[in-house]
Amino acid sequence: MTDSRIAKAPLGTGGPEVGVQGLGCMGMSFAYGPTDAEEARATLERALELGVTHYDTADAYGQGENERFLAPFFAAHRDEVVIATKFAMTIPPDEPTRRIIRNDGPYIRQAVEASLKRLDVDVIDLYYMHRRDVNVPIEETVGVMAELVSEGKVKQLGLSEVTGGELRAAQAVHPIAAVQSEWSLFSRDIEAGVVPAARELGVTLVPYSPLGRGFLTGSFTDADKDLTAGDVRRQQPRFTGDNAAANAALLDSIRTVAKAHDASLGQIALAWVHRQAAVHGLPVVPIPGTRRRTRLEENTAATRITLTDTDLAVLDAIAAKVAGTRYADMTFASAGRE
């Protein structure tokens, strides 16, 4: 495995350059079952060595525990990293399938202060609205977020799971550096409205779950059978029952391309996401999540795989055949409002 550092990409118009692949940190302490904290910390350090400088978390991940877990690493490397965190979503520990969404000003101010404290930093580099509360005008929400920039608490603003129209409305209030949404071989709904809007406005696309929450790596084929009881993927329609069986069959197309490149399934899935920067003409910085160094090295190596037009034709056909929606309740996703 090569030790070459990954290339860079801009984070929004006039923003900093970050590694072209970021790191989703949620699973290091939340959502995907038991974890090895020591190995997760070593993975953070290895990521920086490989040129990964954009680290993504949220206050909802373990009720702030993920932010606390990352704080020592950020303190040791504050000038080398871009810290992204989010507000707006609460997951009650006794109701893991429930989501409480708030975008109002008083809540935002409470949330940012709590995140600053848990992260032990003076300023958050990139602050996202995690999910959209349709009962609060997005202009009002972004207006409060803009005040945080003026006050020096936040450097750049981001939005997650918004529609193209919502992005344009937000941009009219304050520049948006990044839009985060699920984007992968299995999930391409944002290409209809969000991607064109981001390209037009100079906004960087930050795909989360570019590996289909691990399904595209072939690491599991049925969440109910293969994953632990506390794993959130057991709640998602694509990964259980008949849907899981149908979707597992779609991995054969990825295997064909992977064999031609002497690569893993996950590397091909990531290479496809990275290729979308050229296909759609905008910066794309995916944030695959991992808590193991070996997987991290595999993921970053995918940035150096060049897919052919023939490869793309094979891979592009997959999404239309996927069984099941991204979430059981799609009202929390941009596609549910487009």
Side-chain angles (χ1 to χ4, degrees), residues 36-108:
D36 180 338
E38 183 176 346
E39 176 62 18
R41 292 188 184 97
T43 300
L44 291 168
E45 296 286 351
R46 182 61 177 144
L48 194 58
E49 292 174 356
L50 292 173
V52 176
T53 55
H54 176 204
Y55 294 80
D56 185 89
T57 182
D59 62 2
Y61 302 159
Q63 295 187 305
E65 186 55 37
N66 198 246
E67 292 178 323
R68 294 188 190 95
F69 175 81
L70 295 168
F73 170 74
F74 292 152
H77 302 285
R78 187 63 188 96
D79 295 337
E80 303 170 80
V81 300
V82 170
I83 301 171
T85 193
K86 314 177 194 74
F87 73 89
M89 184 163 67
T90 302
I91 304 172
D94 57 341
E95 297 180 83
T97 62
R98 186 182 176 205
R99 302 292 184 267
I100 300 170
I101 310 299
R102 288 185 61 181
N103 289 175
D104 57 283
Y107 179 82
I108 295 169

Side-chain angles (χ1 to χ4, degrees), residues 7 9 45 50 53 70 102 135 137 145 162 188 267 280 289 296 308 330:
E45 296 286 351
L50 292 173
T53 55
L70 295 168
R102 288 185 61 181
N135 297 309
M145 295 170 72
V162 294
R188 300 183 58 184
Q267 286 178 319
H280 294 279
L296 170 81
T308 67
M330 283 294 288

Side-chain angles (χ1 to χ4, degrees), residues 296-327:
L296 170 81
E297 290 165 354
E298 177 183 326
N299 290 349
T300 55
T303 66
R304 295 182 286 276
I305 295 174
T306 302
L307 299 176
T308 67
D309 290 342
T310 300
D311 295 333
L312 290 177
V314 172
L315 298 171
D316 285 346
I318 292 174
K321 303 173 185 176
V322 174
T325 54
R326 294 202 271 133
Y327 297 102

Side-chain angles (χ1 to χ4, degrees), residues 212-251:
R213 294 177 172 81
F215 195 88
L216 291 170
T217 69
S219 60
F220 74 99
T221 56
D222 187 313
D224 284 336
K225 296 177 182 177
D226 301 336
L227 303 179
T228 59
D231 197 303
V232 298
R233 289 170 289 187
R234 296 181 65 168
Q235 305 164 14
Q236 294 169 333
R238 288 180 175 172
F239 307 136
T240 58
D242 291 342
N243 287 346
N247 292 334
L250 299 178
L251 301 183

Side-chain angles (χ1 to χ4, degrees), residues 73-325:
F73 170 74
F74 292 152
H77 302 285
R78 187 63 188 96
D79 295 337
E80 303 170 80
V81 300
V82 170
I83 301 171
T85 193
K86 314 177 194 74
F87 73 89
M89 184 163 67
T90 302
I91 304 172
D94 57 341
E95 297 180 83
T97 62
R98 186 182 176 205
R99 302 292 184 267
I100 300 170
I101 310 299
R102 288 185 61 181
N103 289 175
D104 57 283
Y107 179 82
I108 295 169
R109 290 195 165 277
Q110 171 188 319
V112 74
E113 295 297 340
S115 285
L116 286 165
K117 183 176 181 179
R118 286 189 294 263
L119 292 165
D120 193 22
V121 295
D122 296 325
V123 60
I124 294 166
D125 299 314
L126 177 60
Y127 200 44
Y128 284 101
M129 180 189 78
H130 202 166
R131 288 293 186 272
R132 172 97 165 89
D133 177 357
V134 296
N135 297 309
V136 179
I138 197 165
E139 295 87 349
E140 179 181 318
T141 299
V142 176
V144 176
M145 295 170 72
E147 292 173 3
L148 302 181
V149 176
S150 298
E151 294 164 10
K153 300 179 188 297
V154 171
K155 290 183 180 178
Q156 290 185 292
L157 303 184
L159 303 172
S160 180
E161 288 289 358
V162 294
T163 67
E166 290 164 351
L167 174 56
R168 289 188 173 91
Q171 180 80 8
V173 177
H174 188 279
I176 302 299
V179 166
Q180 188 171 134
S181 192
E182 187 167 356
W183 199 9
S184 72
L185 286 169
F186 271 21
S187 300
R188 300 183 58 184
D189 48 74
I190 67 168
E191 293 173 28
V194 181
V195 171
R199 180 178 62 242
E200 170 192 325
L201 299 171
V203 177
T204 297
L205 234 300
V206 179
Y208 72 81
S209 298
L211 293 170
R213 294 177 172 81
F215 195 88
L216 291 170
T217 69
S219 60
F220 74 99
T221 56
D222 187 313
D224 284 336
K225 296 177 182 177
D226 301 336
L227 303 179
T228 59
D231 197 303
V232 298
R233 289 170 289 187
R234 296 181 65 168
Q235 305 164 14
Q236 294 169 333
R238 288 180 175 172
F239 307 136
T240 58
D242 291 342
N243 287 346
N247 292 334
L250 299 178
L251 301 183
D252 287 342
S253 295
I254 307 175
R255 290 190 179 94
T256 299
V257 177
K259 184 176 180 180
H261 288 271
D262 192 23
S264 69
L265 273 70
Q267 286 178 319
I268 296 304
L270 281 173
W272 180 88
V273 174
H274 282 291
R275 179 64 181 267
Q276 301 314 299
V279 170
H280 294 279
L282 80 170
V284 176
V285 181
I287 49 170
T290 186
R291 48 200 177 186
R292 300 200 306 264
R293 283 169 286 180
T294 53
R295 185 69 77 181
L296 170 81
E297 290 165 354
E298 177 183 326
N299 290 349
T300 55
T303 66
R304 295 182 286 276
I305 295 174
T306 302
L307 299 176
T308 67
D309 290 342
T310 300
D311 295 333
L312 290 177
V314 172
L315 298 171
D316 285 346
I318 292 174
K321 303 173 185 176
V322 174
T325 54

